[in-house]
Structure formats: C-alpha cells, structure tokens
C-alpha cells in the first residue's frame, strides 16, 4: 500500500458525474452504536484512531471521523471498495442534497503509478474534476491524502475539513467510478446505488 497527495493537471474534459441533485436525502442507520459496531474495529495503517464511524448505506463505503467542536473542524477517512483502477470521492454539500454544490475530495491512481488525492468542486452535472485551488474552495480542506489497501481492495481518502457555518450536521455525498481516462475520473454508472449515495451526517454524534 502507499499514500500520496499529489495534484495532477488533468485535461478538462466534460464528464457526467451524476450524484443527482433532486434525490431525497438518505439517513444513516438508526443508531450510532449500530453504525459503529460494523466499522469501529477497522485498523488504519498509520494506527490513526477515529472516535466515530458509520457504515454508509450505499456502495459498501464507510466514513470515519474525529470532530473538534472548539474549531468546528473534522478529520475524516472515507473508505470505499476499489480495485486496480477507478476512483472514489466523498464530499459535503452545504446547500443541497445532491451533486451540484458539493465540495469533494477525490482519489485515484495516476497513470504514473502514484496515488492522487485532492479537493474538487462539483459545480455542474459535467464538472471538470480538476483540482480546486484554495481560493476556489467554499471551505478549507487540508491534509488530503489517499491510500490503497490491497488486502481489502479499498481506497481510503483522508482530509481535514473546516466546516462551513456554525453547525455540525450536513448533507454529504459519496461516489465510486470504475475508470480514469487521461488522469481524469470518468463517469460512474447512472443507476442503482450510484445515484442513491447521498445522506446526512452529524459530526457531533
């Protein structure tokens, strides 16, 4: 396994990355204890420990996080199944329930063999998926990195997010695609779990 946080310069091609904006927000499992029972035992390669975690209801994904109320920041580790190719992404949408308006972190394997992880803006149904400059971000995202766990065939994306506003509850979206073309994430399927991967998360719980 390896970790990296590189910023490529992808070709700005138009893709349809449909998280779908009009979908009804899907909640987590009924209780925090039930969520944690299926993911709290996971061991990260860096031995990082997260106080909370939730097994997300779609795509076999999991979100781990440490919330700091004093600064309203959260450190996250998003895990999703991924083989030798493809990409994964997770992000927050402060003003909606779907893709458009989401600020996400995306990760995949670059053509040079390194892992790529960076923040990106999903500002339309055909986003460029290019790395976003700090001044373009609606809220700061730092410490972005990725790791591919060969034993479980998962990609893990790490980030620290300065949450917008004063609250701790947000709409979030997550996604998984099977291919990367020209070092740019290609479109994911537009049916099944891939268009239902939205929900809400309260980082204070």
């Amino acid at each position: 396994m390896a970790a990296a946080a590189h910023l490529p310069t992808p070709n700005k091609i138009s893709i349809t990355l449909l998280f779908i904006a009009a979908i009804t927000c899907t909640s987590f499992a009924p209780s925090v204890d039930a969520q944690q029972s299926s993911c709290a035992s996971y061991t990260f390669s860096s031995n990082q420990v997260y106080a909370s975690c939730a097994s997300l209801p779609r795509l076999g994904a999991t979100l781990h996080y440490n919330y700091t109320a004093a600064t309203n920041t959260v450190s996250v580790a998003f895990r999703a199944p991924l083989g030798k190719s493809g990409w994964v992404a997770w992000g927050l949408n402060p003003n909606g329930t779907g893709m458009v308006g989401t600020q996400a972190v995306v990760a995949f394997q670059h053509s040079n063999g390194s892992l790529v992880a960076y923040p990106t803006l999903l500002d339309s149904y055909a986003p460029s998926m290019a790395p976003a400059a700090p001044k373009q971000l609606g809220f700061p995202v730092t410490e972005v990195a990725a790791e591919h766990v060969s034993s479980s065939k998962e990609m893990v994306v790490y980030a620290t997010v300065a949450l917008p506003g004063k609250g701790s509850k947000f709409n979030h979206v997550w996604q998984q695609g099977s291919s990367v073309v020209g070092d740019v994430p290609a479109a994911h399927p537009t049916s099944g779990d891939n268009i239902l991967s939205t929900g809400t998360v309260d980082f204070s719980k």
Side-chain angles (χ1 to χ4, degrees), residues 72-96:
N72 204 29
T73 58
V74 62
S75 295
V76 301
F78 170 74
R79 297 165 39 216
L82 190 71
K84 293 183 179 180
S85 61
W87 56 271
V88 300
W90 172 86
L92 298 180
N93 189 336
N95 301 309

Side-chain angles (χ1 to χ4, degrees), residues 7-74:
L7 296 183
T9 305
N11 296 325
K12 291 188 176 180
I13 64 174
S14 177
I15 65 171
T16 302
L17 179 66
L18 183 62
F19 280 109
I20 200 165
I23 194 167
T24 302
C25 193
T26 305
S27 298
F28 279 168
S31 71
V32 172
D33 289 342
Q35 296 164 15
Q36 292 184 339
S37 65
S38 62
C39 61
S41 61
Y42 184 85
T43 301
F44 290 90
S45 63
S46 62
N47 294 319
Q48 173 67 49
V49 176
Y50 292 90
S52 303
C53 66
S55 297
L56 304 181
R58 308 287 177 179
L59 301 176
T62 307
L63 183 67
H64 302 253
Y65 53 94
N66 285 328
Y67 175 64
T68 303
T71 56
N72 204 29
T73 58
V74 62

